Amino acid sequence: MIAGIAAKDRPFYARVLGLHYIRPSGLLCFFFFEGAIALATLLALAELVTWWAVVVLPGAIAIMVKINDLIAGFGARSAARAQARAAVRSATRRAAKREAKAAGRQAALASAAADGGPAQVDDEDFPDEVPAVGRASVPQPYAGLAAPDEVRSSQARRRQSAAHRYD
C-alpha cells in the first residue's frame, strides 16, 4: 500500500513503473501509454519520424514519468526533514520561554521575600506568550532610527534626482 491506496487499486501503468509519490489517474495513464503509441503512429504515418518512434516514444515518456516521481520523492523527503527541524526549533523555543518564566517567578519571589512582603506573584506579570503577528514577533521601536518624515523626504529626494537624471 502506497500513500493510502492499495496496489490493486492503482493503474497498471503506475504499478509497472513503481511510482511512489505521484498518483496518475487511469485516464492519465491511458494518455501516457496508449496516447503516446497513437501519437507515434500518426507521426510515422505522416513520415515525420521512423517506425521506431512507436516503440521509443512510450518508453521515453515512461522514463520521464519515473524521473518526475523520483524528483517528487526528493521534495517530499526534504519537506519532511524541514517539518521535523521546525518542530524541534519550536519545542526548544517553548522550553526556553518556560525556563525564563520560571526564573522570573523565582526572582520575583526572592525579591518579595527580601522586602518582607507577601511571597505571592501574579501570573499576569509573566505572560506565556509575547504579542505576535503571524509567526514574527512584534517589532519594538528603536530610538536610533530616523523619523518617518525624514525617511519619506530622503526617499522623495532620491526619486526626484533619479527622474532628473533621465530627463
Side-chain angles (χ1 to χ4, degrees), residues 70-96:
L70 293 174
I71 292 170
F74 289 137
R77 284 190 293 273
S78 68
R81 282 193 298 269
Q83 273 185 332
R85 283 193 301 266
V88 168
R89 279 194 303 268
S90 66
T92 305
R93 284 188 197 119
R94 283 193 303 270

Side-chain angles (χ1 to χ4, degrees), residues 50-132:
T50 64
W51 283 98
W52 280 103
V54 176
V55 176
V56 172
L57 187 63
I61 290 175
I63 290 170
M64 287 187 278
V65 169
K66 184 62 180 178
I67 290 172
N68 190 3
D69 183 59
L70 293 174
I71 292 170
F74 289 137
R77 284 190 293 273
S78 68
R81 282 193 298 269
Q83 273 185 332
R85 283 193 301 266
V88 168
R89 279 194 303 268
S90 66
T92 305
R93 284 188 197 119
R94 283 193 303 270
K97 284 180 185 178
R98 281 194 301 270
E99 289 174 8
K101 186 176 179 180
R105 283 186 180 160
Q106 290 296 328
L109 286 172
S111 68
D115 293 341
Q120 260 182 318
V121 178
D122 292 332
D123 280 343
E124 295 171 359
D125 295 336
F126 302 99
D128 287 332
E129 296 293 325
V130 294

